[in-house]
Amino acid sequence: MNHRDDFPIFKNRPELIYFDNGATAQRPQSVLDAEQKFYTTYNSNIHRGPNFLAEEATIAYEDARRKVADFLGAHHKHEIIFTRNATEAINLVARTFGETLQAQDVILLSKLEHHSNIVPWLQLAERKDLEIKYMGLSTDWRVRFDPALFDERVKLVAITGMSNVLGTITDLKPIIKAAHAVGAKVLVDAAQLAVHEPINVHDLDADFLVVTGHKIYGPTGIGVLYGKEGLLNSMPPFLGGGDMISAVFADRFIPAALPSKYEAGTPNIAGAIGLGAAIDYMTKLGFKNIQKSEHELGTYLLKQLQSLSFVKIVGPETMDHRGSVVSFTVDGVHPHDVADGLSSKGICIRAGFHCAQPLMDHLKLSGTARMSLNFYNTKEEIDKGISTLEEIYKYFNK
Ligand SMILES: Cc1ncc(COP(=O)(O)O)c(C=O)c1O
């Protein structure tokens, strides 16, 4: 599958080798066009002015919400709340659903979580005197499902769908089932998963699920919280201000109905419209094609890395239960030096803790280098990455 030409950055920088898709994906022209069209032909605030321009903008914004609902398999479009990113979506749940929890309740996380799915819960635990517990790491580098951890004290399980460090994909269904059996709700962090695997919130029976726009070819500054209708209706509002109210009096207010209840103030209208265009783009390519291409590239990358005696892959060595996000270490070379060496040859990777310090502590690592591939990467790029790794290793181990 070669859709590289859809991405202007590769035309503007023909030498660029971009292996940092786990941090943010590149944007196709259609996403840029959708945002520009909004600003240049129907820019207006939404849900407010009774005029034709506001109406056009509102229709486009709400149409984007419909696209997200379809993309995630949500039954109702009002179960989709636009946020700034995945981080804000998780914080929204912590500040609303979280406020209903009582002292000594347990929140169950996993050792594989990104800081975005740890820190809001640590903050909440401090405010409400809760206990945080962790599911460990299985021998196949996935979240270890330990039924013994699920009891009546557990009120929320917040868990990643795909590790941003190891690339492994969580077997979510047994965990969600076990959580529901003890009356706990489940939040799925799909920030990494959503670009690699189709998601259906109903099939999963997830209570909350978060996505970030910029990792699925959409703009920055736009994210999504999916929540089951009943839950979203039962929780208090998040931020206060315009749009999230149906009436305001001098001494009280009545919150708006979903989804406005959780979208205070002027939202990122262009961002939502751009995200809708990104979903259109992915839908047109088709997940089957995207996955086939990433599976091939991931398999090739893993094989090439394994051929280097001085490289250790941190994660599974085959593409079973994993996406094309690959962490590794290089003997005698700090991950930051690996990234610097590759960068000097025009190759972008990520190095360090990857916002997952508890996982690094668990693995007793001071960091990894990470190559994360999307479908537009090529085997030739991987070859250049591998030969540059050989040069870097030789340079540091003279
Ligand atoms: C697994 C995971 N969760 C959450 C996030 C946070 O995403 P954002 O910074 O867009 O809120 C990231 C970003 O790298 C991630 O990889």
Side-chain angles (χ1 to χ4, degrees):
M1 188 164 72
N2 187 2
H3 284 270
R4 225 176 145 77
D5 289 350
D6 298 340
F7 294 80
I9 195 163
F10 297 126
K11 285 185 209 151
N12 295 329
R13 305 190 75 134
E15 303 302 318
L16 173 67
I17 296 182
Y18 190 73
F19 289 150
D20 200 13
N21 295 287
T24 196
Q26 296 300 341
R27 316 287 179 268
Q29 186 66 50
S30 57
V31 168
L32 309 177
D33 288 347
E35 283 199 283
Q36 191 177 21
K37 188 170 171 207
F38 165 68
Y39 283 125
T40 55
T41 66
Y42 60 101
N43 175 50
S44 174
N45 212 328
I46 53 162
H47 298 149
R48 296 175 190 208
N51 65 64
F52 66 92
L53 215 54
E55 215 167 286
E56 267 183 55
T58 303
I59 289 170
Y61 182 76
E62 292 303 327
D63 193 39
R65 197 191 304 278
R66 160 55 55 207
K67 288 175 188 175
V68 175
D70 291 346
F71 183 69
L72 296 179
H75 276 176
H76 308 291
K77 87 178 178 66
H78 58 250
E79 292 176 313
I80 301 300
I81 311 296
F82 284 123
T83 60
R84 275 191 303 147
N85 45 40
T87 304
E88 189 180 74
I90 295 170
N91 276 274
L92 190 163
V93 177
R95 294 266 168 187
T96 54
F97 174 80
E99 291 305 322
T100 65
L101 302 187
Q102 310 286 328
Q104 300 310 308
D105 284 347
V106 170
I107 296 179
L108 193 50
L109 309 177
S110 89
K111 288 279 184 196
L112 286 79
E113 302 310 311
H114 187 281
H115 293 165
S116 295
N117 200 25
I118 300 176
V119 181
W121 310 118
L122 293 177
Q123 290 175 306
L124 180 67
E126 213 172 287
R127 280 201 305 279
K128 310 273 302 184
D129 192 21
L130 310 175
E131 191 180 343
I132 306 282
K133 289 188 180 176
Y134 290 87
M135 286 178 269
L137 190 62
S138 66
T139 47
D140 61 357
W141 301 87
R142 301 163 90 193
V143 175
R144 194 179 66 228
F145 171 46
D146 179 358
L149 285 170
F150 292 75
D151 60 32
E152 275 69 34
R153 277 181 63 211
V154 178
K155 295 293 182 267
L156 180 75
V157 178
I159 188 176
T160 189
M162 176 176 163
S163 165
N164 63 312
V165 179
L166 307 172
T168 42
I169 292 173
T170 310
D171 190 8
L172 289 166
K173 278 191 183 171
I175 295 171
I176 294 174
K177 224 169 145 198
H180 288 166
V182 295
K185 305 297 179 204
V186 180
L187 178 146
V188 177
D189 173 1
Q192 291 289 335
L193 186 68
V195 75
H196 299 293
E197 290 249 320
I199 290 171
N200 187 300
V201 285
H202 273 281
D203 185 41
L204 283 175
D205 201 16
D207 300 291
F208 301 106
L209 184 136
V210 307
V211 170
T212 201
H214 65 96
K215 294 193 205 283
I216 57 168
Y217 310 107
T220 48
I222 188 80
V224 171
L225 168 68
Y226 158 80
K228 282 182 180 164
E229 182 184 34
L231 264 173
L232 292 177
N233 273 325
S234 69
M235 298 171 347
F238 177 39
L239 301 174
D243 252 26
M244 54 71 72
I245 42 79
S246 70
V248 180
F249 309 96
D251 58 349
R252 70 198 163 87
F253 71 94
I254 301 170
L258 296 176
S260 301
K261 177 180 173 185
Y262 296 106
E263 292 183 6
T266 302
N268 183 354
I269 306 166
I273 292 167
L275 179 59
I279 287 172
D280 285 343
Y281 179 77
M282 287 180 79
T283 308
K284 210 164 122 208
L285 290 185
F287 253 115
K288 274 211 176 87
N289 296 324
I290 292 174
Q291 285 182 302
K292 185 168 174 280
S293 176
E294 291 178 355
H295 188 87
E296 259 177 53
L297 289 167
T299 304
Y300 187 69
L301 173 62
L302 287 167
K303 198 170 132 256
Q304 296 310 98
L305 284 173
Q306 280 165 59
S307 74
L308 303 177
S309 59
F310 52 85
V311 163
K312 284 186 192 65
I313 294 169
V314 182
E317 300 200 343
T318 69
M319 284 299 283
D320 292 342
H321 312 302
R322 70 168 299 151
S324 45
V325 171
V326 179
S327 267
F328 59 92
T329 56
V330 175
D331 291 349
V333 192
H334 191 277
H336 283 148
D337 291 327
V338 175
D340 279 350
L342 288 163
S343 179
S344 70
K345 295 287 165 78
I347 303 170
C348 301
I349 68 153
R350 176 94 187 257
F353 287 140
H354 312 288
C355 298
Q357 220 174 329
L359 176 61
M360 290 296 155
D361 289 347
H362 181 76
L363 296 172
K364 299 190 173 42
L365 288 172
S366 60
T368 68
R370 182 187 73 182
M371 289 185 177
S372 46
L373 313 182
N374 278 6
F375 67 84
Y376 42 56
N377 289 119
T378 65
K379 288 186 179 168
E380 292 70 36
E381 289 180 322
I382 295 172
D383 290 342
K384 173 98 190 283
I386 294 294
S387 60
T388 310
L389 281 178
E390 282 176 315
E391 288 168 25
I392 293 167
Y393 173 72
K394 278 186 198 140
Y395 178 81
F396 278 93
N397 289 279
K398 275 195 273 220

